[in-house]
Amino acid sequence: LRSEGLCIDLPIICSMSSGKTLPWYHYTNEHGLDGILRSGRIDASDPSRGDAVEGHGSYGTNLPPSSGTRAIARNNWDGGWEIAVERGKTDCYVRCEVPASELRKHPGHGDVKHGGILVHPNGIDLSKYPTKYGRVGQDPVPKAHTYDPWSDLRAHDDGDYRMPGTPGRDAGRAYMGQACVKSPDKGHNPRRS
């Protein structure tokens, strides 16, 4: 039930943002995707570690998986793109619909004219945005797996994480394009009874 942008079915956390959203793609290897799904976050990169040329924040791009691993890697890693591909940094992706007002936009490093770097200054909380994830070349975005913190947490509880295809993966809640998820520290989830 909704009233003026608020969820009535408490305890619920809603991401209600107005304005244009952009598809924000974060590429990583399988180990990185596992960590992201376990934590429910994409942490911000720190310039003091030398991995954040555009400043503090979570790095993504506007390039979808269909752009190809070489184009994505060149766009995201400039001179180190070949090492990124060797390390599987373009094997998996997370796609979030993020309000444009929350992102800093920078030109991409590669030769794809429309490629760009999109930086979220505070890190990405997956439960705050409509989110999908998958393997590049195997899970096209329309068929990607919808992030559901409840089934993704359960997939990790037994320590035997099996990427996509686990029952319940696509059971995430959404209401008119707005992400709504039950707060993990607040009682019983009737959808999972």
Side-chain angles (χ1 to χ4, degrees):
L1 194 57
R2 281 197 189 280
S3 174
E4 297 187 30
L6 298 174
C7 286
I8 305 301
D9 179 22
L10 295 178
I12 300 282
I13 301 167
C14 291
S15 172
M16 302 294 295
S17 39
S18 58
K20 181 181 174 185
T21 62
L22 296 175
W24 181 90
Y25 295 93
H26 178 81
Y27 292 90
T28 188
N29 56 28
E30 290 214 23
H31 179 74
L33 180 61
D34 184 40
I36 290 166
L37 295 176
R38 282 179 191 268
S39 70
R41 299 190 45 78
I42 299 174
D43 291 326
S45 294
D46 183 355
S48 69
R49 293 187 317 217
D51 67 348
V53 125
E54 306 296 350
H56 183 84
S58 291
Y59 281 64
T61 181
N62 61 318
L63 295 178
S66 60
S67 302
T69 57
R70 292 173 61 94
I72 292 163
R74 282 184 167 168
N75 181 75
N76 294 359
W77 288 282
D78 195 16
W81 73 270
E82 289 169 316
I83 294 168
V85 171
E86 285 174 22
R87 293 182 179 168
K89 292 286 194 173
T90 56
D91 288 353
C92 301
Y93 68 93
V94 176
R95 179 188 197 257
C96 301
E97 289 292 325
V98 180
S101 62
E102 294 182 25
L103 298 170
R104 293 189 321 257
K105 299 171 189 101
H106 302 275
H109 302 292
D111 51 7
V112 177
K113 291 181 182 173
H114 63 281
I117 308 269
L118 304 173
V119 181
H120 191 284
N122 303 318
I124 296 283
D125 176 346
L126 301 184
S127 67
K128 205 175 152 189
Y129 309 102
T131 301
K132 292 186 167 207
Y133 63 93
R135 288 189 179 120
V136 174
Q138 292 181 23
D139 300 311
V141 173
K143 295 181 181 180
H145 306 275
T146 301
Y147 175 73
D148 174 5
W150 305 112
S151 65
D152 288 314
L153 282 173
R154 257 199 323 279
H156 297 293
D157 284 345
D158 62 6
D160 182 26
Y161 175 63
R162 292 173 304 280
M163 196 172 134
T166 307
R169 289 248 182 229
D170 295 319
R173 289 181 71 173
Y175 181 80
M176 296 179 60
Q178 304 296 327
C180 279
V181 296
K182 190 170 180 66
S183 175
D185 58 342
K186 305 286 185 195
H188 175 70
N189 184 349
R191 293 186 310 118
R192 301 291 182 213
S193 299

